[in-house]
Amino acid sequence: MSVWLPAAPCTPRACVRATASRTGVPRAVLRLTAVVVLVLAGVALAPLGGLVPAGVVRRWSRTVVRAAGVRVRVTGASAPAAGGLLLVANHISWLDVPLLAGVRPARMLAKAEIRRWPVAGALAARGGVLFIDRDRLRALPATVERIAQVLRSGHAVAVFPEGSTWCGRAQGHFRRAVFQAALDAGARVQPVRIGYRDVAGALSTAAAFVGDDTLFVSLWRVVSTRGLVAEVEVLPVLAADGHRDRRALAEAAGTGVLDAPPARPSPGPAVVRHAPRGPRQSVGGVRRGEGRRRAAAGWQPATPAIPGNAGTAASS
């Protein structure tokens, strides 16, 4: 393994938090079975390539996610339906692949190890997956040129430029090489932000596929979690020729995608506070003499919270 390969510090033990909202085992088994059947069907049909309508691919992709018990919430504009397009997104989970395909069907860029997988590797290659040999830095220019050729032909290519999965509470940065392909082809770049929230609306790491996680463990964690929501935000498309080089294009694409995701704490019940009632000679709800006693004890009146100042900060 080369030392230059991108890596994330996220691990299941350090980053993935156990969830108290879990579904029953029978339902989780049904979800897992449905996901496996749908994925195998998709892999079997992958060699048909462009013969399958884009609308069918999008519906299948979102059905895979929903079959896992995950609701999908898509915001933002629609991705361009035609022409060369480089889709780039942050990378948290195996769920990111069907979620990105739901934005626009595209040829995925995957690590070369997948090509050596029995059966699935050959089918993936026939289905148009582009492979990158991450162990050979010298092979990178050829991979970039191959991506540029696909973009010039009017197809879309989907890439996760962080190069590794992160837990969702911490993120990496967009590596620049794939953006050179968009510059060479004069193609547009479609940034997409992906995140996951729990049943209460808080950021969730249940979907994360990080570190030494096995695929089965990650699958089981997802299908056994109740109320998981996948958020997909389609950001404004970027014209590659509007940026001076791949560094500037990568930074522009990363803006919004790699910003700290906003916290969404679940709204609690409204609490109405009543001023203490005193006799008629009270002023402002405080009996005469009571204010002096409270001041001596260090009491201060409550200050209303200012919306928008609350936030969360977490790292892996």
Side-chain angles (χ1 to χ4, degrees):
M1 186 69 70
S2 302
V3 295
W4 66 272
L5 289 178
C10 303
T11 65
R13 287 172 295 277
C15 302
V16 179
R17 298 183 180 180
T19 175
S21 177
R22 303 191 65 85
T23 190
V25 172
R27 177 175 293 184
V29 171
L30 287 175
R31 289 176 175 177
L32 181 60
T33 302
V35 170
V36 171
V37 170
L38 285 167
V39 169
L40 289 178
V43 170
L45 294 175
L48 296 178
L51 298 179
V52 181
V56 174
V57 176
R58 281 194 293 266
R59 286 193 293 272
W60 172 84
S61 300
R62 293 181 182 178
T63 300
V64 170
V65 180
R66 293 189 182 109
V70 181
R71 289 186 294 137
V72 181
R73 182 182 298 132
V74 181
T75 58
S78 298
L85 186 71
L86 182 69
L87 287 101
V88 294
N90 56 308
H91 203 9
I92 300 173
S93 171
W94 52 270
L95 284 167
D96 301 342
V97 176
L99 286 173
L100 208 52
V103 173
R104 177 177 166 180
R107 297 181 64 174
M108 295 295 305
L109 180 67
K111 58 185 180 181
E113 292 89 329
I114 293 178
R115 193 168 193 170
R116 295 190 287 271
W117 289 1
V119 183
L123 289 174
R126 291 177 60 192
V129 173
L130 301 171
F131 297 101
I132 178 171
D133 191 344
R134 304 190 309 164
D135 291 332
R136 296 177 57 233
L137 184 59
R138 292 181 179 178
L140 186 58
T143 301
V144 170
E145 176 55 28
R146 178 63 178 142
I147 297 172
Q149 291 176 1
V150 175
L151 294 174
R152 290 190 193 101
S153 68
H155 293 89
V157 177
V159 182
F160 300 109
E162 288 174 291
S164 181
T165 51
W166 292 68
C167 68
R169 295 179 180 273
Q171 294 174 316
H173 67 276
F174 278 179
R175 295 179 177 264
R176 303 185 295 271
V178 293
F179 293 95
Q180 185 63 49
L183 288 170
D184 294 344
R188 292 168 292 181
V189 176
Q190 178 65 75
V192 179
R193 179 177 182 168
I194 299 174
Y196 299 90
R197 296 188 183 273
D198 60 22
V199 68
L203 292 174
S204 174
T205 56
F209 182 34
V210 294
D212 56 358
D213 241 348
T214 64
L215 182 57
F216 178 78
V217 168
S218 180
L219 274 164
W220 184 255
R221 188 166 57 241
V222 169
V223 300
S224 60
T225 299
R226 186 170 65 248
L228 192 61
V229 178
E231 293 185 334
V232 180
E233 183 180 2
V234 183
L235 299 172
V237 70
L238 303 174
D241 56 9
H243 300 80
R244 65 181 183 277
D245 54 26
R246 62 186 182 184
R247 178 190 294 272
L249 185 56
E251 291 176 352
T255 301
V257 174
L258 301 177
D259 294 340
R264 284 189 192 168
S266 58
V271 178
V272 180
R273 298 184 183 275
H274 297 281
R277 299 182 62 184
R280 292 182 179 177
Q281 65 269 28
S282 65
V283 178
V286 180
R287 294 190 297 273
R288 292 180 179 176
E290 184 67 16
R292 288 191 295 272
R293 287 193 294 272
R294 290 186 179 182
W299 176 85
Q300 295 291 334
T303 302
I306 301 175
N309 286 354
T312 58
S315 61
S316 298

